[in-house]
Amino acid sequence: MNRIIGFGVFVVVLAAASSAQTDLPDPTTELLTQLIRIDSTNPPGNDERIADLLASKLAPLGFQVETIPTPVSGKVHFLARLKGRGTKKPILLAAHADVVGVERAGWHLDPFAGLLQDGYVYGRGAIDNKGSLAVFTAALMRLAKEKVPLERDLILLSEADEESGRYGTEWLAENYFQKIDCAAALNEGGWIIQNSDGSVRYVSISTADKISIWFKLTSHGTTTHSSMPVRNDDAISQLARALTDLANYRTRVQLLSSTRQFFLTLAQVSKPPKSEEFKRLVGGTNQEVAEADLEISKDPLLNAIIRNTLAPVFLNAGFRGNVIPGTAEATINLRLLPGTNIDQVIDEVRNVVHNPQIDVAISGGGGPGTSDDVQALRDHFQAVGNIEPSRTDTELYQALALQGQAQFHAPVTPYLFQAGTDAAAWRKRGIPVYGIYPYPVPASDLSRMHGNDERVSVRSLAGATDFIYDVLLHVAGPNNACRLQRNRSGKQQRRGKWFSP
Ligand SMILES: [Zn+2]
């Protein structure tokens, strides 16, 4: 613990070590440590304290700030609007303020202390998604401080109830859509993946999310004394066989156009034989695709974006030590590609299970005993399951691609996000949403997200703030202002200050 020092102490130590020392931690790092110190584990969320912190920073810089209370006390959305000339619709930057809980025993340091160690900020939410909230806020503050004349409003949204709860962006959009209406939005999603030498391998920007829904397997057998089992008839053994069959089953490979581009990008930044596998997955014969799939799907993340997946999440059976129960239940979480027909998937599952004594039905995700309003689940799936991926020919996507390349010297690709986000509130209203965690992270650090010792590097945070600042300058500054300039040899270079060509 001796090398772990709080941010406040860090500043004091630096100052004491050398009075000439000027490299204080950058504003994004400072803000992130402050955000982490507000424990916003949801439930309950504590978003109001986050809103107060952001308001105290943004209101003095001229942002119009507003806190939108939800029916739950202390649970709020926060909006800050930096006014522009209004010649174009606003751009919105959304990040959720709530975080998932922690298993404290698995952490090597206090997850809510906002600690700096070895060049990293540690804490719950460092990646997901207080890091983004800090980067978006810092980039906007920089534009405000520099008094960049803006063509359009820029809106920061700090969201409640993304990780759980009923008052997330769907609720916000239903009740206050005019406040979050925009030409396009940034949200969490894609990755800037770092190589071990610190260089960036690729930048992925999500244009669609997978959709989550559940089904339940209910197996039926004879209830009887456990001293006289009937071979192959008991509910638990039948359910176990069905689960084994499902675990061994491979759903077919389906590539969205963004996924094709993503794998072609991976091919470009990989060495053989990997690069060849990625190319075969996209353009090979059926046999080649099947062979490539066998290798590629060993990576759980890559597997998740090329097919519908199913994962058992609850089991429920038995009530006495001397009774063979008549029923056994398993709840399975399906993660589906956009455009999937849910009834076809349920039929597919029935075929795999192939047992008339097992019912297969859509259910809620709460596990055994939850009341499942199947119609409501179907309606929800209908509403989000067929959302078109966001287009890539928009000003915001093009700016992300251009500045991403300039900042990180790596290819930029659209991407299907393997999980769900709260982007549906905009996408289903026809507004494009681009998902990105704007800081470079090594792939090995991704498991820390929702896991233990979550962290993001101070250097990544600074680069992320430059990146987002440049993107905003590009889409909202005067005459497509930017910091990029060609030098004599024709190479693009970034200037320290923005300018208008
Ligand atoms: Zn998140």
Side-chain angles (χ1 to χ4, degrees):
M1 288 292 286
N2 60 331
R3 288 160 69 205
I4 305 165
I5 39 179
F7 176 75
V9 183
F10 183 71
V11 175
V12 174
V13 170
L14 270 182
S18 161
S19 55
Q21 183 70 273
T22 52
D23 56 340
L24 294 174
D26 83 327
T28 314
T29 298
E30 182 180 3
L31 177 57
L32 178 55
T33 58
Q34 291 170 344
L35 290 169
I36 288 171
R37 278 183 215 139
I38 299 172
D39 178 353
S40 56
T41 303
N42 189 8
N46 269 330
D47 326 277
E48 194 164 26
R49 288 180 56 207
I50 303 254
D52 291 345
L53 172 69
L54 294 174
S56 74
K57 293 182 182 292
L58 296 170
L61 293 173
F63 286 76
Q64 293 175 355
V65 301
E66 183 177 15
T67 296
I68 298 179
T70 71
V72 178
S73 156
K75 194 183 284 300
V76 305
H77 293 272
F78 171 78
L79 284 163
R81 186 180 282 255
L82 187 58
K83 290 295 285 178
R85 290 204 306 143
T87 50
K88 297 175 188 170
K89 272 182 92 173
I91 296 290
L92 181 133
L93 298 92
H96 62 89
D98 60 332
V99 294
V100 292
V102 295
E103 285 180 312
R104 277 216 182 224
W107 284 68
H108 292 96
L109 32 67
D110 182 346
F112 298 106
L115 299 169
L116 280 167
Q117 186 184 21
D118 301 334
Y120 289 88
V121 178
Y122 280 82
R124 175 55 85 225
I127 297 178
D128 180 21
N129 192 16
K130 288 180 173 173
S132 292
L133 186 54
V135 167
F136 292 167
T137 305
L140 286 165
M141 286 173 72
R142 194 156 135 199
L143 288 168
K145 278 180 188 159
E146 291 178 359
K147 298 191 171 24
V148 177
L150 298 176
E151 290 296 315
R152 63 196 335 164
D153 292 3
L154 296 171
I155 307 168
L156 175 75
L157 168 62
S158 165
E159 306 162 354
D161 271 4
E162 196 276 341
E163 297 290 7
S164 68
R166 297 162 54 191
Y167 299 107
T169 53
E170 286 287 353
W171 176 87
L172 184 67
E174 266 160 40
N175 293 283
Y176 298 96
F177 189 68
Q178 75 287 359
K179 292 181 192 293
I180 57 169
D181 191 10
C182 56
L186 278 182
N187 192 16
E188 63 187 338
W191 304 106
I192 302 172
I193 295 293
Q194 221 170 14
N195 295 312
S196 52
D197 65 1
S199 63
V200 168
R201 193 161 171 235
Y202 64 84
V203 178
S204 62
I205 297 166
S206 62
T207 52
D209 295 344
K210 281 185 94 180
I211 304 116
S212 183
I213 189 163
W214 293 262
F215 68 90
K216 202 179 279 179
L217 297 175
T218 309
S219 93
H220 303 274
T222 307
T223 312
T224 181
H225 199 291
S226 59
S227 63
M228 297 176 292
V230 180
R231 189 177 292 276
N232 286 330
D233 177 61
D234 74 281
I236 291 178
S237 301
Q238 290 194 72
L239 183 64
R241 274 195 296 277
L243 290 173
T244 306
D245 288 345
L246 283 174
N248 291 328
Y249 178 66
R250 297 176 81 81
T251 53
R252 70 190 170 94
V253 172
Q254 298 179 71
L255 306 182
L256 302 186
S257 88
S258 59
T259 314
R260 288 175 190 279
Q261 281 189 57
F262 174 72
F263 278 102
L264 290 176
T265 305
L266 280 192
Q268 192 188 328
V269 298
S270 309
K271 293 193 180 78
K274 280 279 156 214
S275 54
E276 296 308 309
E277 277 166 17
F278 295 141
K279 279 188 217 158
R280 278 199 292 274
L281 185 78
V282 174
T285 61
N286 288 350
Q287 177 67 23
E288 286 172 333
V289 170
E291 281 166 15
D293 174 31
L294 278 181
E295 288 306 312
I296 290 168
S297 60
K298 287 176 184 165
D299 179 326
L301 176 65
L302 298 184
N303 181 54
I305 64 173
I306 61 176
R307 55 166 37 91
N308 295 325
T309 60
L310 19 90
V313 289
F314 286 106
L315 267 180
N316 185 35
F319 59 97
R320 275 187 69 94
N322 57 359
V323 174
I324 297 176
T327 60
E329 277 180 7
T331 306
I332 318 283
N333 185 213
L334 278 171
R335 297 291 176 133
L336 302 179
L337 299 158
T340 301
N341 179 322
I342 181 66
D343 292 313
Q344 278 176 9
V345 174
I346 296 294
D347 281 346
E348 197 178 339
V349 169
R350 283 199 186 103
N351 281 336
V352 174
V353 169
H354 197 63
N355 183 341
Q357 284 178 272
I358 296 182
D359 298 329
V360 184
I362 294 173
S363 79
T370 26
S371 71
D372 300 329
D373 182 344
V374 172
Q375 195 50 49
L377 290 163
R378 277 185 171 280
D379 291 347
H380 171 73
F381 186 81
Q382 228 31 59
V384 300
N386 292 309
I387 296 174
E388 286 289 315
S390 298
R391 298 152 47 139
T392 55
D393 59 356
T394 61
E395 233 183 323
L396 182 55
Y397 185 89
Q398 294 299 320
L400 287 164
L402 180 77
Q403 302 297 341
Q405 234 157 18
Q407 173 76 28
F408 302 112
H409 310 288
V412 179
T413 172
Y415 177 65
L416 167 69
F417 191 53
Q418 76 281 358
T421 70
D422 48 10
W426 291 273
R427 283 202 188 118
K428 76 182 188 193
R429 290 171 171 81
I431 296 173
V433 181
Y434 304 111
I436 188 160
Y437 296 93
Y439 15 80
V441 282
S444 54
D445 271 6
L446 296 185
S447 59
R448 296 170 186 260
M449 182 175 158
H450 286 215
N452 299 329
D453 291 342
E454 186 177 350
R455 66 180 189 179
V456 63
S457 89
V458 169
R459 236 181 118 183
S460 288
L461 286 168
T465 309
D466 271 347
F467 169 44
I468 297 300
Y469 168 90
D470 286 336
V471 167
L472 296 178
L473 201 54
H474 194 97
V475 295
N479 297 322
N480 293 330
C482 65
R483 291 192 298 152
L484 286 176
Q485 223 180 14
R486 293 204 181 273
N487 65 16
R488 279 198 197 130
S489 55
K491 227 180 141 211
Q492 277 196 329
Q493 274 185 327
R494 179 181 266 100
R495 297 199 334 179
K497 258 186 87 66
W498 68 279
F499 67 103
S500 233

